[in-house]
Amino acid sequence: MKNTNKATLIGLVAILLWSSIVGLIRSVSEHLGPTGGAAMMYSVASVFLLLSVGYVKLSEFPRRYLIWGSLLFVTYELCLALSIGYANTARQAIEVGMVNYLWPTFTIVAAILFNRQKSNFLIVPGFVLSIVGICWVLGGEQGLDLAGMLANVRDNPLSYGLAFAGALLWAAYCTVTARIAGGKNGVTLFFILVSVTLWIKYLLEGGGHMEFSVEAIVYLVLAAGAMGFGYGAWNVGILHGNVTILAGASYFIPVFSAALSTILLRAPLSLAFWQGAAMVCGGAILCWLATRAKRVLQVAD
């Protein structure tokens, strides 16, 4: 197998690992608590990253990347982990995870608005389809049901709010760091900062009960591995693999995530949920095609 194909395969493994994160984060939080569980996850994941990706000296990073990258990355990861941990039910955790997966669409829109990424008319239906897809997911059994969606969000506005904020923050992170990172990857440092922040939050809250068991430890290691090794595998794929294949596959993460989460959390999902998830994926793909079409035309010219 060619090195490019191997790297692409490793990148695809990263997509599968990330798709399992929602279910695994929820499983850990059920045993160790939302904050304590998240703190443990990011601490173990930091160790995995130190072993796989390594640690780069701070002096090698652009200062603006250190400041803005740290702020946006840490805040996003807090929103992601806590939105899932604070969910009232397993089904709600999966819905919250789906809201977070608006980030691919938001990232492309942000690249168009702030990084002058060229696009065509497909960006409009793509964005609308993603938003309608989330409304469809949150509408419950009826699909697109405004009253049902509002009632669903009112049941736990903190979790849904954190997930939506996280989607915006990750889009901002991708947009900003693409311009100021200078080719550097601070993911190991950022994960350490996330874990430190979560431990501070945990202590300020007065600690909390952690129910350690074999099952809890297994879920903890799996969640930390999915996070840590997922980033490591993705870096290999992006640097040495087929970026087009990886980018296209990444837009199916919402569906993969829902499928793995329903198995891990034993939470059956309705047909309306799957229809909404497919819309979120379809919207992101349309947004991606809106930027790809320009490139194809330029090459043809």
Side-chain angles (χ1 to χ4, degrees):
M1 186 181 293
K2 294 181 179 179
N3 289 335
T4 300
N5 293 336
K6 287 182 180 179
T8 302
L9 184 60
I10 291 172
L12 292 174
V13 169
I15 291 173
L16 289 177
L17 290 174
W18 283 341
S19 297
S20 69
I21 283 177
V22 171
L24 290 173
I25 288 177
R26 178 64 184 181
S27 298
V28 172
S29 67
E30 288 176 348
H31 289 87
L32 306 179
T35 304
M40 288 294 298
M41 277 187 296
Y42 283 95
S43 296
V44 177
S46 296
V47 175
F48 288 159
L49 280 167
L50 285 169
L51 295 175
S52 59
V53 178
Y55 188 81
V56 182
K57 294 179 180 178
L58 293 181
S59 59
E60 297 179 1
F61 287 100
R63 181 171 295 181
R64 285 201 305 161
Y65 173 56
L66 272 180
I67 296 172
W68 288 107
S70 298
L71 179 63
L72 292 170
F73 189 99
V74 171
T75 310
Y76 164 73
E77 294 293 341
L78 291 176
C79 287
L80 172 64
L82 296 177
S83 66
I84 296 169
Y86 287 148
N88 293 331
T89 64
R91 163 66 187 253
Q92 194 173 81
I94 299 174
E95 291 181 356
V96 164
M98 191 60 60
V99 173
N100 174 72
Y101 286 126
L102 280 171
W103 67 259
T105 297
F106 288 165
T107 300
I108 295 173
V109 171
I112 293 170
L113 293 176
F114 302 110
N115 285 354
R116 298 180 181 178
Q117 171 68 58
K118 293 184 178 180
S119 65
N120 62 23
F121 70 96
L122 287 176
I123 192 67
V124 175
F127 180 80
V128 172
L129 186 59
S130 291
I131 298 300
V132 171
I134 287 299
C135 294
W136 206 283
V137 166
L138 299 183
E141 303 292 333
Q142 302 302 317
L144 191 58
D145 177 9
L146 182 59
M149 182 187 73
L150 292 176
N152 204 1
V153 173
R154 284 196 201 101
D155 180 59
N156 191 348
L158 178 60
S159 279
Y160 290 111
L162 285 172
F164 187 77
L168 293 173
L169 285 164
W170 190 250
Y173 172 83
C174 294
T175 304
V176 170
T177 56
R179 301 170 63 178
I180 63 176
K184 299 298 182 181
N185 179 14
V187 65
T188 304
L189 168 65
F190 298 158
F191 259 70
I192 293 172
L193 292 175
V194 174
S195 63
V196 170
T197 304
L198 283 166
W199 281 120
I200 292 173
K201 182 179 184 297
Y202 177 76
L203 294 174
L204 289 175
E205 291 175 345
H209 177 67
M210 290 191 187
E211 184 183 333
F212 282 98
S213 63
V214 173
E215 185 179 22
I217 293 172
V218 169
Y219 279 129
L220 173 61
V221 173
L222 289 175
M227 289 179 174
F229 293 132
Y231 277 101
W234 184 252
N235 282 337
V236 172
I238 288 297
L239 291 175
H240 307 292
N242 188 315
V243 177
T244 301
I245 291 176
L246 293 176
S250 69
Y251 292 116
F252 291 94
I253 288 179
V255 171
F256 297 153
S257 175
L260 290 174
S261 296
T262 191
I263 294 171
L264 285 169
L265 301 178
R266 300 179 183 87
L269 300 172
S270 65
L271 176 61
F273 180 95
W274 291 109
Q275 290 171 337
M279 291 180 197
V280 174
C281 289
I285 291 171
L286 281 178
C287 290
W288 178 64
L289 290 175
T291 62
R292 295 288 300 176
K294 285 287 184 181
R295 295 179 188 177
V296 172
L297 289 174
Q298 287 172 356
V299 171
D301 291 343

